[in-house]
mmCIF file of all heavy atoms in Angstrom:
data_model
loop_
_atom_site.group_PDB
_atom_site.id
_atom_site.type_symbol
_atom_site.label_atom_id
_atom_site.label_comp_id
_atom_site.label_asym_id
_atom_site.label_seq_id
_atom_site.Cartn_x
_atom_site.Cartn_y
_atom_site.Cartn_z
ATOM 1 N N LEU Y 8 80.470 104.909 126.540
ATOM 2 C CA LEU Y 8 80.938 104.969 125.159
ATOM 3 C C LEU Y 8 81.139 103.565 124.586
ATOM 4 O O LEU Y 8 80.822 103.307 123.412
ATOM 5 C CB LEU Y 8 82.242 105.765 125.084
ATOM 6 C CG LEU Y 8 82.818 106.000 123.682
ATOM 7 C CD1 LEU Y 8 81.809 106.703 122.780
ATOM 8 C CD2 LEU Y 8 84.120 106.801 123.770
ATOM 9 N N LYS Y 9 81.651 102.656 125.403
ATOM 10 C CA LYS Y 9 81.787 101.259 124.959
ATOM 11 C C LYS Y 9 80.430 100.679 124.590
ATOM 12 O O LYS Y 9 80.289 100.004 123.553
ATOM 13 C CB LYS Y 9 82.418 100.406 126.064
ATOM 14 C CG LYS Y 9 83.882 100.678 126.329
ATOM 15 C CD LYS Y 9 84.366 99.805 127.488
ATOM 16 C CE LYS Y 9 85.760 100.173 127.916
ATOM 17 N NZ LYS Y 9 86.233 99.345 129.058
ATOM 18 N N ALA Y 10 79.436 100.937 125.429
ATOM 19 C CA ALA Y 10 78.088 100.420 125.150
ATOM 20 C C ALA Y 10 77.524 101.028 123.867
ATOM 21 O O ALA Y 10 76.909 100.331 123.052
ATOM 22 C CB ALA Y 10 77.165 100.714 126.335
ATOM 23 N N ASP Y 11 77.739 102.325 123.671
ATOM 24 C CA ASP Y 11 77.261 102.990 122.455
ATOM 25 C C ASP Y 11 77.947 102.415 121.213
ATOM 26 O O ASP Y 11 77.302 102.158 120.191
ATOM 27 C CB ASP Y 11 77.530 104.491 122.537
ATOM 28 C CG ASP Y 11 76.612 105.200 123.520
ATOM 29 O OD1 ASP Y 11 75.592 104.597 123.916
ATOM 30 O OD2 ASP Y 11 76.924 106.348 123.895
ATOM 31 N N ASN Y 12 79.265 102.218 121.313
ATOM 32 C CA ASN Y 12 79.997 101.695 120.155
ATOM 33 C C ASN Y 12 79.591 100.259 119.837
ATOM 34 O O ASN Y 12 79.498 99.879 118.661
ATOM 35 C CB ASN Y 12 81.502 101.787 120.405
ATOM 36 C CG ASN Y 12 82.047 103.179 120.125
ATOM 37 O OD1 ASN Y 12 81.554 103.881 119.239
ATOM 38 N ND2 ASN Y 12 83.066 103.591 120.860
ATOM 39 N N LEU Y 13 79.349 99.459 120.868
ATOM 40 C CA LEU Y 13 78.889 98.097 120.628
ATOM 41 C C LEU Y 13 77.517 98.103 119.953
ATOM 42 O O LEU Y 13 77.278 97.347 118.999
ATOM 43 C CB LEU Y 13 78.822 97.314 121.942
ATOM 44 C CG LEU Y 13 78.236 95.898 121.845
ATOM 45 C CD1 LEU Y 13 79.026 95.035 120.869
ATOM 46 C CD2 LEU Y 13 78.181 95.244 123.218
ATOM 47 N N ALA Y 14 76.620 98.970 120.428
ATOM 48 C CA ALA Y 14 75.279 99.042 119.840
ATOM 49 C C ALA Y 14 75.351 99.483 118.376
ATOM 50 O O ALA Y 14 74.641 98.939 117.517
ATOM 51 C CB ALA Y 14 74.408 100.008 120.641
ATOM 52 N N ARG Y 15 76.219 100.443 118.089
ATOM 53 C CA ARG Y 15 76.376 100.891 116.703
ATOM 54 C C ARG Y 15 76.964 99.771 115.837
ATOM 55 O O ARG Y 15 76.558 99.585 114.691
ATOM 56 C CB ARG Y 15 77.274 102.132 116.654
ATOM 57 C CG ARG Y 15 76.624 103.392 117.228
ATOM 58 C CD ARG Y 15 77.512 104.612 117.021
ATOM 59 N NE ARG Y 15 76.915 105.804 117.587
ATOM 60 C CZ ARG Y 15 77.446 106.537 118.558
ATOM 61 N NH1 ARG Y 15 78.611 106.188 119.085
ATOM 62 N NH2 ARG Y 15 76.827 107.611 118.995
ATOM 63 N N TRP Y 16 77.935 99.046 116.394
ATOM 64 C CA TRP Y 16 78.551 97.930 115.671
ATOM 65 C C TRP Y 16 77.509 96.890 115.280
ATOM 66 O O TRP Y 16 77.512 96.367 114.171
ATOM 67 C CB TRP Y 16 79.639 97.307 116.539
ATOM 68 C CG TRP Y 16 80.192 95.995 116.053
ATOM 69 C CD1 TRP Y 16 79.749 94.749 116.369
ATOM 70 C CD2 TRP Y 16 81.299 95.805 115.157
ATOM 71 N NE1 TRP Y 16 80.500 93.786 115.750
ATOM 72 C CE2 TRP Y 16 81.462 94.408 114.991
ATOM 73 C CE3 TRP Y 16 82.163 96.675 114.506
ATOM 74 C CZ2 TRP Y 16 82.467 93.872 114.192
ATOM 75 C CZ3 TRP Y 16 83.169 96.145 113.697
ATOM 76 C CH2 TRP Y 16 83.298 94.753 113.549
ATOM 77 N N GLN Y 17 76.599 96.604 116.191
ATOM 78 C CA GLN Y 17 75.607 95.563 115.966
ATOM 79 C C GLN Y 17 74.599 95.932 114.872
ATOM 80 O O GLN Y 17 73.999 95.049 114.262
ATOM 81 C CB GLN Y 17 74.882 95.248 117.281
ATOM 82 C CG GLN Y 17 75.776 94.555 118.302
ATOM 83 C CD GLN Y 17 75.141 94.439 119.672
ATOM 84 O OE1 GLN Y 17 74.291 95.253 120.057
ATOM 85 N NE2 GLN Y 17 75.538 93.438 120.438
ATOM 86 N N ARG Y 18 74.416 97.208 114.633
ATOM 87 C CA ARG Y 18 73.443 97.608 113.611
ATOM 88 C C ARG Y 18 74.089 98.278 112.399
ATOM 89 O O ARG Y 18 73.389 98.668 111.455
ATOM 90 C CB ARG Y 18 72.391 98.539 114.211
ATOM 91 C CG ARG Y 18 72.913 99.847 114.770
ATOM 92 C CD ARG Y 18 71.771 100.726 115.282
ATOM 93 N NE ARG Y 18 72.251 102.002 115.787
ATOM 94 C CZ ARG Y 18 72.469 102.280 117.070
ATOM 95 N NH1 ARG Y 18 72.242 101.346 117.989
ATOM 96 N NH2 ARG Y 18 72.905 103.470 117.452
ATOM 97 N N ALA Y 19 75.403 98.430 112.392
ATOM 98 C CA ALA Y 19 76.085 99.160 111.323
ATOM 99 C C ALA Y 19 76.005 98.425 109.990
ATOM 100 O O ALA Y 19 76.101 97.198 109.928
ATOM 101 C CB ALA Y 19 77.547 99.397 111.689
ATOM 102 N N ALA Y 20 75.856 99.192 108.934
ATOM 103 C CA ALA Y 20 75.870 98.661 107.568
ATOM 104 C C ALA Y 20 76.749 99.569 106.711
ATOM 105 O O ALA Y 20 76.720 100.797 106.869
ATOM 106 C CB ALA Y 20 74.455 98.604 106.996
#
Side-chain angles (χ1 to χ4, degrees):
L8 184 57
K9 290 178 188 179
D11 288 345
N12 279 327
L13 175 58
R15 290 186 181 119
W16 169 269
Q17 291 171 333
R18 62 177 182 262

